[in-house]
Amino acid sequence: MMNKDRWKALMGVMGFEPSLDCYDILYAAYSEKHRFYHTAKHIDAMLKHFDEVKELAQRPNELELAIWFHDAIYKPFSKSNELDSAVWARDFMLANGADESNAQRVYDLIMATVHDVDVTYNNDAQLMVDIDLTILGTPPPVYDAFEKHVRKEYRWVPYFIYQKKRKQLLNSFLQHKNIYHLAYFREKFEDNARSNIKRAINTL
């Protein structure tokens, strides 16, 4: 998982050093024991979907790097996981000689995974968000396992509180005309996502 050769190739095309120390730290982060969904497996799944739509990206290398970093910091008690991950990615790029504008774009891509409905996303941010949400449109057994894994990550939260918050989040997706921004994802995942979410709400 989280193929090291792929990381090295990405570093090469971006003009960075191999940065294997950073790879090791990222891998360790995604392997933390409190994680059940936000793991290396999630990164691999996103990279797989990215490969299928790479030609749609305006800056595919930046989008791929954002995927690697987007859940690097994941603490269930924290409300700043995306921000902390985005700062880490931006600092990493700047330390490797990237322009401020490039580093800021990666930062913005990661911040898009906050899934703020009031934000208007550019093309690559739409791709980032849609790729991150592909799990919603997976076959029912895969989606149901996702729900169980998320609950495990928040097992310290009393069930009645978790139930309320989870329903609110899931309902927020259903309130929009489309869960996914781009036609490719709507055609492939939209119907399944809505079915999965409705079923999850009913079973909470």
Side-chain angles (χ1 to χ4, degrees):
M1 291 188 289
M2 289 178 59
N3 185 278
K4 185 179 291 187
D5 289 336
R6 178 168 187 151
W7 168 266
K8 289 164 63 177
L10 178 61
M11 295 298 100
V13 297
M14 297 192 77
F16 298 167
E17 294 296 318
S19 304
L20 295 181
D21 56 339
C22 184
Y23 169 88
D24 289 339
I25 296 171
L26 282 172
Y27 190 87
Y30 286 109
S31 302
E32 291 169 333
K33 291 184 178 180
H34 66 271
R35 297 178 185 239
F36 293 88
Y37 172 69
H38 296 90
T39 64
K41 186 176 180 180
H42 172 51
I43 301 304
D44 285 346
M46 286 188 65
L47 289 172
K48 181 179 179 180
H49 289 297
F50 164 76
D51 288 341
E52 295 174 355
V53 296
K54 185 175 181 178
E55 70 280 0
L56 300 179
Q58 294 174 341
R59 296 179 178 272
N61 296 331
E62 292 176 3
L63 179 55
E64 180 172 352
L65 188 65
I67 290 172
W68 280 90
F69 273 94
H70 82 287
D71 281 327
I73 305 296
Y74 185 73
K75 301 175 182 177
F77 289 98
S78 176
K79 295 182 179 180
S80 62
N81 288 321
E82 293 87 359
L83 174 61
D84 295 339
S85 299
V87 169
W88 183 5
R90 183 175 62 190
D91 290 348
F92 170 78
M93 291 188 69
L94 293 175
N96 278 276
D99 291 339
E100 177 68 39
S101 59
N102 299 67
Q104 185 63 40
R105 280 194 296 270
V106 171
Y107 172 97
D108 291 341
L109 288 173
I110 294 172
M111 290 304 295
T113 64
V114 175
H115 303 297
D116 187 339
V117 297
D118 296 323
V119 174
T120 300
Y121 299 118
N122 62 27
N123 177 79
D124 284 2
Q126 289 180 343
L127 273 171
M128 183 74 181
V129 171
D130 283 358
I131 292 170
D132 194 31
L133 295 181
T134 52
I135 186 63
L136 300 181
T138 52
V142 178
Y143 179 85
D144 293 345
F146 157 68
E147 285 289 341
K148 290 178 181 178
H149 289 156
V150 171
R151 175 56 181 151
K152 286 183 179 180
E153 290 181 342
Y154 287 89
R155 59 195 179 279
W156 52 271
V157 178
Y159 182 73
F160 74 95
I161 296 176
Y162 177 83
Q163 179 188 47
K164 178 181 178 181
K165 295 294 185 180
R166 189 66 181 167
K167 282 186 175 181
Q168 288 175 348
L169 174 62
L170 294 175
N171 273 311
S172 71
F173 289 116
L174 297 180
Q175 290 169 6
H176 299 283
K177 181 180 179 181
N178 296 302
I179 293 173
Y180 299 97
H181 294 88
L182 300 176
Y184 170 87
F185 293 92
R186 289 199 298 269
E187 292 170 4
K188 191 171 184 178
F189 297 106
E190 185 79 25
D191 290 344
N192 281 348
R194 289 186 175 276
S195 176
N196 284 331
I197 290 171
K198 290 175 183 177
R199 189 179 69 260
I201 290 172
N202 289 335
T203 56
L204 280 169

